[in-house]
Amino acid sequence: MTARPEVTLWPNGDRKSDFHWTGASITDNQLRALSLGAYVGRTCSHAVDTVWRECTRHGGEGTTAQQAAADLRKSWSVEDAVELRRTVGRLLDGMHSPLYEVVFPLAEPLGIAKRDGKAMDSPLTLEEHRRFIAVRARLVGEDPGRAIEAHEAIYRLIAMKLLGRLGAVSLPPHVRAWDLARVPVVARMGFTAGLIDEGEAWQLMGAALRSAQAEYPDWETFADGLLTGRAFWLAMSDVTEVEAEDTRVAAELHYLLEADTSPWRRVSLQP
């Protein structure tokens, strides 16, 4: 087992600038599984080494279990264990990445041409791309409007230079990290709310870890996929918020990659 950092046990006096370790005895693989959701954990300031999720940064009424249940209802429309398992299944299968993967090859060259002020290599115009995407979506039983919104989101992210990046020279071909990073969040809330037991929570997070290890060689590339996926998700609804959020989220991810007490510094993504 990888040595854990010598840090003050959670909770401590500085909840905004540190990662909180309870000292729980968990395996490296369990820490890896929990750490897929470490970015979201930073926003809530809960412990990094337990399934139990107690948010110390955001106030709320009721017990910790009641707050977790309320968060599940508000953010995920989850009321029971069946809905929770269905939601995790959608994240594991790809909640946002599949749509990104379909439109990315079309949107990327158009966005790059617009960004660089060059003529497009493709003989098709932007509008012709959108018509093609709409036809394809109808043929496979998907929402044409949502497919066009996805194409527009990626096009704008590139053309408007909205992503500061974490060092990557181009957008990744998929954003599975954004889907997989949210599995521990939902699983931990489900356990804390009493919808599933701890063993099932570990099973769900373990499935996410295996998928992440199959897609990403390290935390750096995982972080890049997470940042792009979150920006894509946000641009689908309000592209004007992306630039400011990209700066904030990139800073959080840099901290995860560099801070001595970060779980990403305690274990690598790959065994």
Side-chain angles (χ1 to χ4, degrees):
M1 181 182 294
T2 303
R4 303 292 181 242
E6 295 294 332
V7 296
T8 303
L9 294 186
W10 177 87
N12 60 36
D14 182 10
R15 292 176 175 155
K16 291 186 177 181
S17 63
D18 208 352
F19 297 90
H20 308 303
W21 297 79
T22 68
S25 179
I26 60 174
T27 67
D28 282 357
N29 254 6
Q30 287 175 321
L31 180 56
R32 289 184 179 99
L34 285 168
S35 298
L36 294 177
Y39 159 70
V40 182
R42 284 282 296 159
T43 66
C44 193
S45 197
H46 52 64
V48 299
D49 58 351
T50 65
V51 181
W52 182 261
R53 178 184 183 273
E54 184 166 358
C55 190
T56 62
R57 189 176 298 183
H58 299 159
E61 297 181 356
T63 65
T64 298
Q66 289 170 335
Q67 289 179 30
D71 287 345
L72 281 171
R73 285 193 298 271
K74 179 180 179 181
S75 300
W76 296 94
S77 300
V78 167
E79 298 275 358
D80 55 38
V82 173
E83 290 175 347
L84 185 140
R85 295 180 188 117
R86 186 179 297 119
T87 297
V88 171
R90 289 178 60 209
L91 288 169
L92 290 172
D93 290 340
M95 185 175 287
H96 290 98
S97 190
L99 184 56
Y100 176 99
E101 291 166 39
V102 167
V103 300
F104 174 75
L106 293 171
E108 184 190 34
L110 298 180
I112 291 175
K114 180 68 174 179
R115 181 196 66 194
D116 298 342
K118 298 179 180 179
M120 293 183 293
D121 293 333
S122 171
L124 300 178
T125 67
L126 183 59
E127 288 305 318
E128 287 171 325
H129 269 214
R130 290 169 180 162
R131 284 197 293 272
F132 168 79
I133 289 169
V135 170
R136 179 209 169 271
R138 292 189 187 95
L139 288 174
V140 298
E142 296 175 352
D143 180 359
R146 183 166 172 77
I148 292 172
E149 288 173 0
H151 182 275
E152 180 72 11
I154 296 176
Y155 171 75
R156 289 191 176 188
L157 287 176
I158 299 172
M160 299 171 66
K161 305 178 183 179
L162 291 175
L163 286 176
R165 320 301 313 120
L166 288 170
V169 296
S170 61
L171 296 188
H174 65 79
V175 289
R176 293 294 311 281
W178 173 235
D179 292 329
L180 297 173
R182 292 176 290 173
V183 171
V185 178
V186 175
R188 293 178 73 176
M189 284 194 290
F191 166 67
T192 305
L195 301 184
I196 58 175
D197 61 29
E198 185 173 3
E200 184 172 358
W202 281 123
Q203 289 177 353
L204 297 175
M205 291 188 290
L209 175 63
R210 290 189 292 275
S211 293
Q213 289 173 331
E215 298 287 353
Y216 299 98
D218 49 42
W219 290 122
E220 287 81 359
T221 51
F222 181 82
D224 191 64
L226 194 161
L227 179 67
T228 304
R230 192 181 188 283
F232 169 67
W233 165 73
L234 190 59
M236 288 279 288
S237 57
D238 189 353
V239 74
T240 62
E241 295 185 15
V242 171
E243 189 168 15
E245 276 293 288
D246 175 63
T247 300
R248 184 187 67 79
V249 175
E252 290 283 356
L253 292 172
H254 272 296
Y255 190 72
L256 269 164
L257 291 167
E258 297 172 1
D260 290 339
T261 55
S262 165
W264 288 6
R265 294 288 301 276
R266 305 273 63 83
V267 289
S268 59
L269 176 58
Q270 300 291 339

mmCIF file of all heavy atoms in Angstrom, residues 19 38 42 166-167 218-224 249-267:
data_model
loop_
_atom_site.group_PDB
_atom_site.id
_atom_site.type_symbol
_atom_site.label_atom_id
_atom_site.label_comp_id
_atom_site.label_asym_id
_atom_site.label_seq_id
_atom_site.Cartn_x
_atom_site.Cartn_y
_atom_site.Cartn_z
ATOM 1 N N PHE A 19 -6.512 18.960 1.343
ATOM 2 C CA PHE A 19 -7.296 17.753 1.169
ATOM 3 C C PHE A 19 -7.420 17.097 2.532
ATOM 4 O O PHE A 19 -6.483 17.112 3.327
ATOM 5 C CB PHE A 19 -6.604 16.819 0.180
ATOM 6 C CG PHE A 19 -6.484 17.413 -1.192
ATOM 7 C CD1 PHE A 19 -5.378 18.166 -1.545
ATOM 8 C CD2 PHE A 19 -7.484 17.235 -2.128
ATOM 9 C CE1 PHE A 19 -5.265 18.729 -2.803
ATOM 10 C CE2 PHE A 19 -7.382 17.793 -3.393
ATOM 11 C CZ PHE A 19 -6.276 18.546 -3.729
ATOM 12 N N ALA A 38 -12.187 13.278 -7.193
ATOM 13 C CA ALA A 38 -11.496 14.213 -6.299
ATOM 14 C C ALA A 38 -11.759 15.669 -6.649
ATOM 15 O O ALA A 38 -11.787 16.526 -5.754
ATOM 16 C CB ALA A 38 -9.990 13.942 -6.317
ATOM 17 N N ARG A 42 -13.163 18.490 -4.035
ATOM 18 C CA ARG A 42 -12.547 19.781 -3.699
ATOM 19 C C ARG A 42 -13.600 20.865 -3.569
ATOM 20 O O ARG A 42 -13.488 21.745 -2.720
ATOM 21 C CB ARG A 42 -11.547 20.177 -4.785
ATOM 22 C CG ARG A 42 -10.238 19.434 -4.734
ATOM 23 C CD ARG A 42 -9.341 19.980 -3.645
ATOM 24 N NE ARG A 42 -8.963 21.362 -3.919
ATOM 25 C CZ ARG A 42 -8.532 22.228 -3.014
ATOM 26 N NH1 ARG A 42 -8.447 21.873 -1.757
ATOM 27 N NH2 ARG A 42 -8.185 23.451 -3.356
ATOM 28 N N LEU A 166 -4.761 22.266 -20.059
ATOM 29 C CA LEU A 166 -3.831 21.841 -19.015
ATOM 30 C C LEU A 166 -2.513 21.413 -19.635
ATOM 31 O O LEU A 166 -1.746 20.674 -19.060
ATOM 32 C CB LEU A 166 -4.428 20.674 -18.227
ATOM 33 C CG LEU A 166 -5.578 21.018 -17.290
ATOM 34 C CD1 LEU A 166 -6.227 19.751 -16.766
ATOM 35 C CD2 LEU A 166 -5.088 21.871 -16.145
ATOM 36 N N GLY A 167 -2.255 21.885 -20.839
ATOM 37 C CA GLY A 167 -1.013 21.531 -21.511
ATOM 38 C C GLY A 167 -1.228 20.775 -22.804
ATOM 39 O O GLY A 167 -0.305 20.603 -23.593
ATOM 40 N N ASP A 218 -2.765 8.251 -17.267
ATOM 41 C CA ASP A 218 -2.346 8.931 -16.036
ATOM 42 C C ASP A 218 -3.375 9.986 -15.643
ATOM 43 O O ASP A 218 -4.345 10.240 -16.368
ATOM 44 C CB ASP A 218 -0.966 9.583 -16.221
ATOM 45 C CG ASP A 218 -0.870 10.408 -17.499
ATOM 46 O OD1 ASP A 218 -1.845 11.142 -17.808
ATOM 47 O OD2 ASP A 218 0.152 10.327 -18.206
ATOM 48 N N TRP A 219 -3.155 10.603 -14.489
ATOM 49 C CA TRP A 219 -4.086 11.633 -14.000
ATOM 50 C C TRP A 219 -4.061 12.875 -14.880
ATOM 51 O O TRP A 219 -5.062 13.587 -14.979
ATOM 52 C CB TRP A 219 -3.745 12.017 -12.562
ATOM 53 C CG TRP A 219 -4.028 10.971 -11.532
ATOM 54 C CD1 TRP A 219 -3.142 10.409 -10.662
ATOM 55 C CD2 TRP A 219 -5.313 10.375 -11.228
ATOM 56 N NE1 TRP A 219 -3.775 9.495 -9.856
ATOM 57 C CE2 TRP A 219 -5.108 9.459 -10.178
ATOM 58 C CE3 TRP A 219 -6.593 10.528 -11.756
ATOM 59 C CZ2 TRP A 219 -6.141 8.698 -9.636
ATOM 60 C CZ3 TRP A 219 -7.633 9.769 -11.221
ATOM 61 C CH2 TRP A 219 -7.398 8.872 -10.179
ATOM 62 N N GLU A 220 -2.931 13.160 -15.520
ATOM 63 C CA GLU A 220 -2.843 14.354 -16.359
ATOM 64 C C GLU A 220 -3.823 14.282 -17.532
ATOM 65 O O GLU A 220 -4.555 15.245 -17.811
ATOM 66 C CB GLU A 220 -1.415 14.555 -16.868
ATOM 67 C CG GLU A 220 -0.424 15.031 -15.818
ATOM 68 C CD GLU A 220 0.113 13.912 -14.939
ATOM 69 O OE1 GLU A 220 -0.303 12.728 -15.123
ATOM 70 O OE2 GLU A 220 0.945 14.195 -14.060
ATOM 71 N N THR A 221 -3.832 13.167 -18.232
ATOM 72 C CA THR A 221 -4.749 13.037 -19.362
ATOM 73 C C THR A 221 -6.195 12.899 -18.880
ATOM 74 O O THR A 221 -7.124 13.357 -19.556
ATOM 75 C CB THR A 221 -4.368 11.834 -20.243
ATOM 76 O OG1 THR A 221 -4.227 10.664 -19.416
ATOM 77 C CG2 THR A 221 -3.066 12.096 -20.978
ATOM 78 N N PHE A 222 -6.379 12.279 -17.727
ATOM 79 C CA PHE A 222 -7.723 12.203 -17.140
ATOM 80 C C PHE A 222 -8.228 13.608 -16.832
ATOM 81 O O PHE A 222 -9.385 13.948 -17.130
ATOM 82 C CB PHE A 222 -7.678 11.361 -15.867
ATOM 83 C CG PHE A 222 -9.013 11.187 -15.191
ATOM 84 C CD1 PHE A 222 -9.902 10.220 -15.620
ATOM 85 C CD2 PHE A 222 -9.368 11.991 -14.117
ATOM 86 C CE1 PHE A 222 -11.139 10.052 -14.998
ATOM 87 C CE2 PHE A 222 -10.600 11.840 -13.487
ATOM 88 C CZ PHE A 222 -11.486 10.865 -13.924
ATOM 89 N N ALA A 223 -7.367 14.448 -16.256
ATOM 90 C CA ALA A 223 -7.750 15.828 -15.933
ATOM 91 C C ALA A 223 -8.102 16.607 -17.194
ATOM 92 O O ALA A 223 -9.051 17.406 -17.202
ATOM 93 C CB ALA A 223 -6.613 16.521 -15.189
ATOM 94 N N ASP A 224 -7.355 16.382 -18.265
ATOM 95 C CA ASP A 224 -7.635 17.083 -19.514
ATOM 96 C C ASP A 224 -9.005 16.696 -20.056
ATOM 97 O O ASP A 224 -9.778 17.550 -20.518
ATOM 98 C CB ASP A 224 -6.550 16.765 -20.537
ATOM 99 C CG ASP A 224 -6.622 17.665 -21.757
ATOM 100 O OD1 ASP A 224 -6.430 18.873 -21.589
ATOM 101 O OD2 ASP A 224 -6.888 17.154 -22.850
ATOM 102 N N VAL A 249 -11.694 25.901 -12.946
ATOM 103 C CA VAL A 249 -11.577 24.451 -12.884
ATOM 104 C C VAL A 249 -10.144 24.005 -13.184
ATOM 105 O O VAL A 249 -9.620 23.093 -12.548
ATOM 106 C CB VAL A 249 -12.568 23.785 -13.855
ATOM 107 C CG1 VAL A 249 -12.370 22.276 -13.895
ATOM 108 C CG2 VAL A 249 -14.003 24.107 -13.425
ATOM 109 N N ALA A 250 -9.500 24.652 -14.161
ATOM 110 C CA ALA A 250 -8.111 24.305 -14.471
ATOM 111 C C ALA A 250 -7.214 24.525 -13.259
ATOM 112 O O ALA A 250 -6.305 23.728 -12.996
ATOM 113 C CB ALA A 250 -7.614 25.125 -15.655
ATOM 114 N N ALA A 251 -7.452 25.590 -12.507
ATOM 115 C CA ALA A 251 -6.656 25.856 -11.304
ATOM 116 C C ALA A 251 -6.858 24.746 -10.273
ATOM 117 O O ALA A 251 -5.903 24.296 -9.621
ATOM 118 C CB ALA A 251 -7.039 27.206 -10.717
ATOM 119 N N GLU A 252 -8.105 24.284 -10.115
ATOM 120 C CA GLU A 252 -8.391 23.203 -9.180
ATOM 121 C C GLU A 252 -7.690 21.914 -9.612
ATOM 122 O O GLU A 252 -7.134 21.180 -8.790
ATOM 123 C CB GLU A 252 -9.899 22.977 -9.083
ATOM 124 C CG GLU A 252 -10.665 24.094 -8.393
ATOM 125 C CD GLU A 252 -10.526 24.049 -6.880
ATOM 126 O OE1 GLU A 252 -9.887 23.107 -6.368
ATOM 127 O OE2 GLU A 252 -11.053 24.959 -6.213
ATOM 128 N N LEU A 253 -7.712 21.638 -10.908
ATOM 129 C CA LEU A 253 -7.083 20.421 -11.403
ATOM 130 C C LEU A 253 -5.568 20.493 -11.289
ATOM 131 O O LEU A 253 -4.910 19.499 -10.974
ATOM 132 C CB LEU A 253 -7.513 20.171 -12.851
ATOM 133 C CG LEU A 253 -8.996 19.814 -13.031
ATOM 134 C CD1 LEU A 253 -9.368 19.787 -14.511
ATOM 135 C CD2 LEU A 253 -9.319 18.476 -12.377
ATOM 136 N N HIS A 254 -4.998 21.677 -11.545
ATOM 137 C CA HIS A 254 -3.558 21.855 -11.336
ATOM 138 C C HIS A 254 -3.198 21.571 -9.883
ATOM 139 O O HIS A 254 -2.174 20.941 -9.594
ATOM 140 C CB HIS A 254 -3.142 23.282 -11.701
ATOM 141 C CG HIS A 254 -2.795 23.464 -13.146
ATOM 142 N ND1 HIS A 254 -1.725 22.823 -13.732
ATOM 143 C CD2 HIS A 254 -3.365 24.217 -14.119
ATOM 144 C CE1 HIS A 254 -1.649 23.172 -15.008
ATOM 145 N NE2 HIS A 254 -2.639 24.008 -15.274
ATOM 146 N N TYR A 255 -4.035 22.037 -8.965
ATOM 147 C CA TYR A 255 -3.769 21.811 -7.545
ATOM 148 C C TYR A 255 -3.813 20.319 -7.225
ATOM 149 O O TYR A 255 -2.975 19.805 -6.474
ATOM 150 C CB TYR A 255 -4.793 22.581 -6.702
ATOM 151 C CG TYR A 255 -4.461 22.616 -5.231
ATOM 152 C CD1 TYR A 255 -3.401 23.396 -4.756
ATOM 153 C CD2 TYR A 255 -5.199 21.874 -4.313
ATOM 154 C CE1 TYR A 255 -3.092 23.422 -3.408
ATOM 155 C CE2 TYR A 255 -4.887 21.909 -2.967
ATOM 156 C CZ TYR A 255 -3.842 22.683 -2.512
ATOM 157 O OH TYR A 255 -3.531 22.701 -1.175
ATOM 158 N N LEU A 256 -4.770 19.612 -7.815
ATOM 159 C CA LEU A 256 -4.849 18.167 -7.614
ATOM 160 C C LEU A 256 -3.592 17.461 -8.116
ATOM 161 O O LEU A 256 -3.124 16.489 -7.528
ATOM 162 C CB LEU A 256 -6.074 17.614 -8.339
ATOM 163 C CG LEU A 256 -7.379 17.541 -7.557
ATOM 164 C CD1 LEU A 256 -8.552 17.354 -8.507
ATOM 165 C CD2 LEU A 256 -7.333 16.402 -6.546
ATOM 166 N N LEU A 257 -3.055 17.948 -9.223
ATOM 167 C CA LEU A 257 -1.866 17.321 -9.808
ATOM 168 C C LEU A 257 -0.581 17.658 -9.057
ATOM 169 O O LEU A 257 0.386 16.896 -9.130
ATOM 170 C CB LEU A 257 -1.728 17.751 -11.272
ATOM 171 C CG LEU A 257 -2.788 17.208 -12.235
ATOM 172 C CD1 LEU A 257 -2.729 17.956 -13.564
ATOM 173 C CD2 LEU A 257 -2.619 15.715 -12.454
ATOM 174 N N GLU A 258 -0.569 18.772 -8.340
ATOM 175 C CA GLU A 258 0.684 19.276 -7.776
ATOM 176 C C GLU A 258 0.764 19.291 -6.254
ATOM 177 O O GLU A 258 1.861 19.230 -5.692
ATOM 178 C CB GLU A 258 0.932 20.699 -8.289
ATOM 179 C CG GLU A 258 1.116 20.769 -9.803
ATOM 180 C CD GLU A 258 1.178 22.195 -10.314
ATOM 181 O OE1 GLU A 258 1.106 23.121 -9.490
ATOM 182 O OE2 GLU A 258 1.277 22.377 -11.537
ATOM 183 N N ALA A 259 -0.352 19.409 -5.553
ATOM 184 C CA ALA A 259 -0.315 19.557 -4.098
ATOM 185 C C ALA A 259 0.209 18.295 -3.421
ATOM 186 O O ALA A 259 -0.153 17.176 -3.787
ATOM 187 C CB ALA A 259 -1.707 19.890 -3.567
ATOM 188 N N ASP A 260 1.061 18.475 -2.425
ATOM 189 C CA ASP A 260 1.657 17.335 -1.735
ATOM 190 C C ASP A 260 0.618 16.422 -1.095
ATOM 191 O O ASP A 260 0.825 15.207 -1.001
ATOM 192 C CB ASP A 260 2.632 17.829 -0.658
ATOM 193 C CG ASP A 260 3.879 18.456 -1.254
ATOM 194 O OD1 ASP A 260 4.182 18.158 -2.423
ATOM 195 O OD2 ASP A 260 4.553 19.234 -0.547
ATOM 196 N N THR A 261 -0.470 16.986 -0.624
ATOM 197 C CA THR A 261 -1.479 16.185 0.080
ATOM 198 C C THR A 261 -2.610 15.718 -0.830
ATOM 199 O O THR A 261 -3.591 15.152 -0.354
ATOM 200 C CB THR A 261 -2.082 16.994 1.242
ATOM 201 O OG1 THR A 261 -2.603 18.233 0.731
ATOM 202 C CG2 THR A 261 -1.037 17.292 2.300
ATOM 203 N N SER A 262 -2.493 15.945 -2.135
ATOM 204 C CA SER A 262 -3.527 15.524 -3.071
ATOM 205 C C SER A 262 -3.547 14.008 -3.208
ATOM 206 O O SER A 262 -2.493 13.369 -3.272
ATOM 207 C CB SER A 262 -3.266 16.148 -4.447
ATOM 208 O OG SER A 262 -4.033 15.491 -5.438
ATOM 209 N N PRO A 263 -4.733 13.403 -3.313
ATOM 210 C CA PRO A 263 -4.779 11.955 -3.544
ATOM 211 C C PRO A 263 -4.150 11.560 -4.875
ATOM 212 O O PRO A 263 -3.671 10.434 -5.020
ATOM 213 C CB PRO A 263 -6.285 11.644 -3.509
ATOM 214 C CG PRO A 263 -6.960 12.942 -3.787
ATOM 215 C CD PRO A 263 -6.076 13.989 -3.182
ATOM 216 N N TRP A 264 -4.142 12.470 -5.847
ATOM 217 C CA TRP A 264 -3.503 12.168 -7.129
ATOM 218 C C TRP A 264 -1.985 12.092 -7.012
ATOM 219 O O TRP A 264 -1.326 11.569 -7.914
ATOM 220 C CB TRP A 264 -3.897 13.221 -8.178
ATOM 221 C CG TRP A 264 -5.304 13.109 -8.649
ATOM 222 C CD1 TRP A 264 -6.274 12.268 -8.180
ATOM 223 C CD2 TRP A 264 -5.915 13.859 -9.700
ATOM 224 N NE1 TRP A 264 -7.453 12.460 -8.865
ATOM 225 C CE2 TRP A 264 -7.269 13.434 -9.815
ATOM 226 C CE3 TRP A 264 -5.471 14.863 -10.553
ATOM 227 C CZ2 TRP A 264 -8.156 13.966 -10.735
ATOM 228 C CZ3 TRP A 264 -6.358 15.401 -11.479
ATOM 229 C CH2 TRP A 264 -7.689 14.959 -11.570
ATOM 230 N N ARG A 265 -1.430 12.608 -5.905
ATOM 231 C CA ARG A 265 0.007 12.483 -5.649
ATOM 232 C C ARG A 265 0.319 11.263 -4.777
ATOM 233 O O ARG A 265 1.468 10.901 -4.613
ATOM 234 C CB ARG A 265 0.525 13.741 -4.966
ATOM 235 C CG ARG A 265 0.482 14.997 -5.820
ATOM 236 C CD ARG A 265 1.526 14.987 -6.914
ATOM 237 N NE ARG A 265 2.877 14.879 -6.390
ATOM 238 C CZ ARG A 265 3.601 15.934 -5.966
ATOM 239 N NH1 ARG A 265 3.082 17.147 -6.035
ATOM 240 N NH2 ARG A 265 4.811 15.775 -5.497
ATOM 241 N N ARG A 266 -0.723 10.664 -4.207
ATOM 242 C CA ARG A 266 -0.508 9.506 -3.334
ATOM 243 C C ARG A 266 -0.513 8.209 -4.134
ATOM 244 O O ARG A 266 0.184 7.262 -3.792
ATOM 245 C CB ARG A 266 -1.595 9.440 -2.262
ATOM 246 C CG ARG A 266 -1.704 10.732 -1.454
ATOM 247 C CD ARG A 266 -0.762 10.791 -0.261
ATOM 248 N NE ARG A 266 0.660 10.773 -0.578
ATOM 249 C CZ ARG A 266 1.355 11.859 -0.936
ATOM 250 N NH1 ARG A 266 0.758 13.024 -1.027
ATOM 251 N NH2 ARG A 266 2.632 11.772 -1.184
ATOM 252 N N VAL A 267 -1.337 8.146 -5.176
ATOM 253 C CA VAL A 267 -1.391 6.962 -6.043
ATOM 254 C C VAL A 267 -1.492 7.397 -7.491
ATOM 255 O O VAL A 267 -2.108 8.423 -7.798
ATOM 256 C CB VAL A 267 -2.587 6.037 -5.713
ATOM 257 C CG1 VAL A 267 -2.397 5.328 -4.392
ATOM 258 C CG2 VAL A 267 -3.905 6.810 -5.749
#
